[in-house]
Amino acid sequence: MKILFNPFFLLFVIVGLLFLLRFLLIRTGLIYMTKKWWRSIEDCLHVYQFFKVPEFNESMQENQLYSKVSVYLNSLASMEDSNYTNLFTGKKSNDIILRLDPSQVIDDDFLGARVSWINEVKTDTTHSRAFVLKIRKADKRRILRPYLQQIHTVFDELEQKKKRELKLYMNINGDQNQNRRWRFVPFTHPSTFETIAMESDLKNKLKSDLESFLKAKQYYHRLGRAWKRSYLLYGPSGTGKSSFIAAMANFLGYDVYDIDLSRVLGDSDLKLLLLQTTTKSVIVVEDLDRFLMGKSTAVSLSGVLNFMDGILNSCCAEERIMVFTVNSKDHIDPAILRPGRIDVHIHFPLCDFSAFRTLANSYLGVKNHKLFPQVEEIFQTGASLSPAEIGELMIANRNSPSRALKSVITALQTEGDCRGSVDVGRRLLDGGSRNSTEDSPDHSGIFSKENINVIKDIKKLYGLLKLRSSRKAPSFDLTPGQRDV
C-alpha cells in the first residue's frame, strides 16, 4: 500500500496513462473525433454568418471572385487537412495539385480569427457551384474586408509568380447544364507568329494591329465603342487559319473560346455563351459559311448578326477578339462582312514560294537549298499545295531535307500543277463545276477525277506551261475608319 502512495510511483502512473491516451488518440483517430466534438460545442456557443461566392453572377457571367477564392484556397496548407481532397497533375509532370471535393470544409486563420470555407455543389439540373464563407458574427466587422482584400493580394502574387496558363474553352450541349455551358482544357498549342507560314510584311502588320488594340482601351471608349476587334479569316482548308488563331492567342496571352454552332440551341443560347466568356479572350467561330449554308445549326442569320455586333455584344464583349473563319466569302451575306462586324479581312491562300521557304525553315531547318530554284520555277507555273499538305510531306521526310524537297516537287508537278491548270481551263472554257466549300475568292478548288482528262487536253491545246500566280496582291484589309486604330 505504501507503494501506491509513493509520489514517484504516482507520477510514473500518470505519465504512463497520458502516454497511453496520446497513443490511443493519435493511432486510432480518436483525436480527430475529439476535435470534431469540440468544434460542435464551439458552434453551439457562437453565432455565425455565411457569405456565398457563386460561380456566376445574376447576369450569368463568370464571377471573378469565385476564381480568385479557388486559387487562394488551393494555396493553403490546410487544404491537406480536408477529409476528401482531389489530386491532379499540374502543368509539369512532377507537380501535384490539390482540389477540394464537393461539400468539404477547409479552415483558415486570419488576424487571430478562424474562418471556414465550404465547397458547395448542387446536384440538381443546374449543377451550380459556390464557395461559402463561414465566419463568427463577432469577428465579421473586424476581419471581413481585410480578409477579402488578402484574397485579392494573394491571387495577384500567385499570378505574377507564374506565367498565366491559357485555357481552351468548348461549349457543351445546352440541355446538360443551363448555368455552366463551357468546359476547358489547358491551351498548349505551340503555334506562334514565328512558326506560321505567312508573308513577313503581312505578319508584321497583323502584330502591329494587335499591339495597337491592346493599348487602345481609352481610344475606343472615347469613340463610344466596345473595346473589341473582329477578324475574318478566309481561304481553302489546310491554309493555316487555325494555326493563326493559336498564334494570335499566344501572342496576346488570351484564352480561347471555341464555339461549336451545332451545339447551340438557338439565338438566345448563343447570347448566353457570349455572356459567360471572360475578358482577355479570343472568341472563335470556325466554318461559319458551312453552318449558315448547310442549315446545320439552330442559330439564325439574325442571331449571328446580333452576336457579332448587337447591343449585348457592345455591353459584354470588352477586351475581346472575335475571329470567324470561312472557306470562301462568295456565299456569305454582305451584312456579315460590313464594317463594324468585321474589322480585318485576312486571306489565307494556297502556298506560294515565300510561304514554302518559311515552311522549309520551320520543318526542316533549311533556309536555302540547291533545289529551291526548281521549286520556285514550279510555283511560277501556277502549281500549288496547301501549307498543310506541304507540311505533311516535310514531316514524313524530315530526316532527309533533299528527299523532303523532292517529294514536294513531285507533289507540285502532279496535284499542284493540276490545280493551276484547272484555273486556266476555267477562265478559257468557262466550264467545270465549282466547289464552293473549298474555293477561296481568288483561287479555284480541286477538280473531280473525271475532269483530269479535260485538264490534260487543255494543256496540250494551248501549251500553257507558265502562269504567274496572282496571289501577290495584298490580303490584309482594314475596314474604313479603322486604319488608325
Side-chain angles (χ1 to χ4, degrees):
M1 294 297 293
K2 291 181 180 181
I3 297 177
L4 296 176
F5 294 100
N6 191 306
F8 293 103
F9 178 76
L10 291 175
L11 180 61
F12 178 78
V13 171
I14 293 172
V15 172
L17 290 174
L18 291 175
F19 179 80
L20 179 62
L21 179 62
R22 181 178 180 276
F23 178 83
L24 291 174
L25 288 175
I26 295 177
R27 294 294 183 178
T28 63
L30 289 175
I31 188 171
Y32 298 104
M33 296 179 63
T34 303
K35 287 181 178 180
K36 185 177 180 180
W37 292 336
W38 179 252
R39 184 164 183 173
S40 299
I41 295 173
E42 280 189 322
D43 289 344
C44 295
L45 299 176
H46 293 91
V47 179
Y48 289 90
Q49 279 193 274
F50 297 86
F51 299 89
K52 180 180 288 189
V53 183
E55 184 179 12
F56 298 100
N57 60 24
E58 294 178 351
S59 302
M60 297 310 300
Q61 292 178 296
E62 184 177 352
N63 185 1
Q64 296 298 318
L65 182 57
Y66 178 89
S67 302
K68 293 183 178 182
V69 170
S70 178
V71 172
Y72 174 77
L73 294 181
N74 291 327
S75 68
L76 296 178
S78 54
M79 172 71 75
E80 301 177 6
D81 296 332
S82 176
N83 293 338
Y84 295 97
T85 304
N86 297 310
L87 301 178
F88 299 96
T89 55
K91 195 172 184 180
K92 299 179 181 179
S93 59
N94 57 346
D95 287 346
I96 302 297
I97 300 176
L98 282 70
R99 292 287 187 270
L100 201 62
D101 209 57
S103 302
Q104 294 305 304
V105 179
I106 182 172
D107 296 326
D108 191 18
D109 293 312
F110 183 73
L111 297 179
R114 189 186 70 192
V115 298
S116 301
W117 287 96
I118 306 169
N119 186 21
E120 182 182 278
V121 179
K122 291 186 177 181
T123 57
D124 56 11
T125 55
T126 62
H127 297 283
S128 59
R129 302 187 300 183
F131 288 115
V132 180
L133 173 62
K134 180 182 177 182
I135 185 173
R136 291 178 184 174
K137 195 168 185 178
D139 298 328
K140 185 192 73 170
R141 290 183 179 275
R142 181 173 63 90
I143 72 166
L144 180 59
R145 289 187 179 276
Y147 182 61
L148 294 177
Q149 186 61 44
Q150 153 116 348
I151 292 176
H152 286 283
T153 302
V154 171
F155 174 81
D156 293 338
E157 290 176 352
L158 292 175
E159 288 296 302
Q160 290 177 0
K161 288 181 180 179
K162 65 175 183 178
K163 182 181 179 181
R164 182 170 177 264
E165 182 177 322
L166 303 184
K167 298 175 182 178
L168 170 62
Y169 290 86
M170 299 156 287
N171 59 305
I172 61 175
N173 290 331
D175 54 355
Q176 293 181 7
N177 192 339
Q178 292 298 326
N179 289 334
R180 302 181 65 249
R181 294 299 313 281
W182 294 103
R183 294 287 187 271
F184 73 85
V185 295
F187 182 77
T188 58
H189 200 294
S191 180
T192 64
F193 276 110
E194 287 68 35
T195 60
I196 59 175
M198 180 180 286
E199 293 181 5
S200 57
D201 289 343
L202 175 59
K203 191 183 301 184
N204 292 332
K205 288 181 180 179
L206 289 168
K207 291 172 67 175
S208 177
D209 186 67
L210 292 172
E211 289 172 344
S212 298
F213 169 79
L214 292 175
K215 303 173 183 176
K217 180 178 180 179
Q218 299 301 326
Y219 178 78
Y220 274 81
H221 288 179
R222 180 163 57 84
L223 296 176
R225 299 184 55 170
W227 184 25
K228 69 178 181 68
R229 196 142 177 83
S230 301
Y231 294 79
L232 178 72
L233 317 183
Y234 65 98
S237 299
T239 50
K241 297 187 291 292
S242 297
S243 296
F244 175 79
I245 295 172
M248 180 187 293
N250 286 324
F251 179 77
L252 296 170
Y254 280 13
D255 294 327
V256 178
Y257 286 83
D258 185 12
I259 298 180
D260 183 355
L261 290 179
S262 65
R263 294 177 176 269
V264 181
L265 301 180
D267 295 351
S268 298
D269 194 39
L270 186 61
K271 292 180 179 179
L272 179 62
L273 289 172
L274 178 61
L275 273 173
Q276 294 185 359
T277 61
T278 60
T279 58
K280 296 183 182 296
S281 60
V282 179
I283 301 174
V284 181
V285 180
E286 293 190 286
D287 299 324
L288 180 61
D289 53 344
R290 178 171 62 87
F291 284 107
L292 293 180
M293 293 174 58
K295 306 297 183 182
S296 56
T297 177
V299 181
S300 66
L301 175 62
S302 175
V304 172
L305 296 178
N306 289 327
F307 172 79
M308 298 174 70
D309 192 35
I311 186 67
L312 182 66
N313 183 291
S314 300
C315 297
C316 304
E318 277 283 294
E319 201 173 0
R320 289 168 174 82
I321 297 289
M322 304 190 77
V323 182
F324 305 89
T325 72
V326 296
N327 287 336
S328 171
K329 294 197 296 184
D330 292 350
H331 302 287
I332 297 296
D333 193 297
I336 292 179
L337 304 179
R338 74 159 176 80
R341 291 200 173 103
I342 298 296
D343 301 311
V344 181
H345 297 242
I346 309 174
H347 182 214
F348 285 78
L350 295 174
C351 197
D352 58 9
F353 183 66
S354 176
F356 166 80
R357 291 180 67 99
T358 302
L359 291 173
N361 185 28
S362 299
Y363 284 82
L364 305 175
V366 175
K367 294 185 178 181
N368 203 356
H369 196 276
K370 62 182 180 180
L371 293 176
F372 275 13
Q374 184 178 353
V375 175
E376 183 177 15
E377 183 178 352
I378 297 176
F379 272 117
Q380 290 176 351
T381 66
S384 186
L385 295 170
S386 71
E389 292 170 322
I390 293 178
E392 286 300 320
L393 292 172
M394 291 181 175
I395 290 175
N397 300 279
R398 60 186 180 275
N399 294 326
S400 175
S402 297
R403 186 168 65 246
L405 296 179
K406 289 178 181 178
S407 66
V408 171
I409 291 172
T410 302
L412 286 170
Q413 289 173 336
T414 53
E415 288 188 54
D417 191 48
C418 289
R419 286 182 181 174
S421 301
V422 168
D423 186 53
V424 177
R426 182 177 290 115
R427 283 185 289 174
L428 291 176
L429 300 182
D430 194 24
S433 60
R434 179 168 182 167
N435 188 340
S436 61
T437 62
E438 290 294 327
D439 293 353
S440 66
D442 304 316
H443 302 277
S444 60
I446 304 175
F447 258 32
S448 56
K449 292 183 179 179
E450 53 267 31
N451 290 328
I452 297 298
N453 292 330
V454 178
I455 297 167
K456 292 180 178 179
D457 293 337
I458 294 170
K459 293 178 66 178
K460 292 178 181 178
L461 179 63
Y462 293 97
L464 295 171
L465 299 178
K466 289 186 179 290
L467 177 66
R468 291 288 178 182
S469 173
S470 61
R471 290 188 293 276
K472 298 296 183 180
S475 55
F476 179 85
D477 300 318
L478 293 175
T479 58
Q482 295 297 316
R483 296 183 182 274
D484 296 329
V485 175

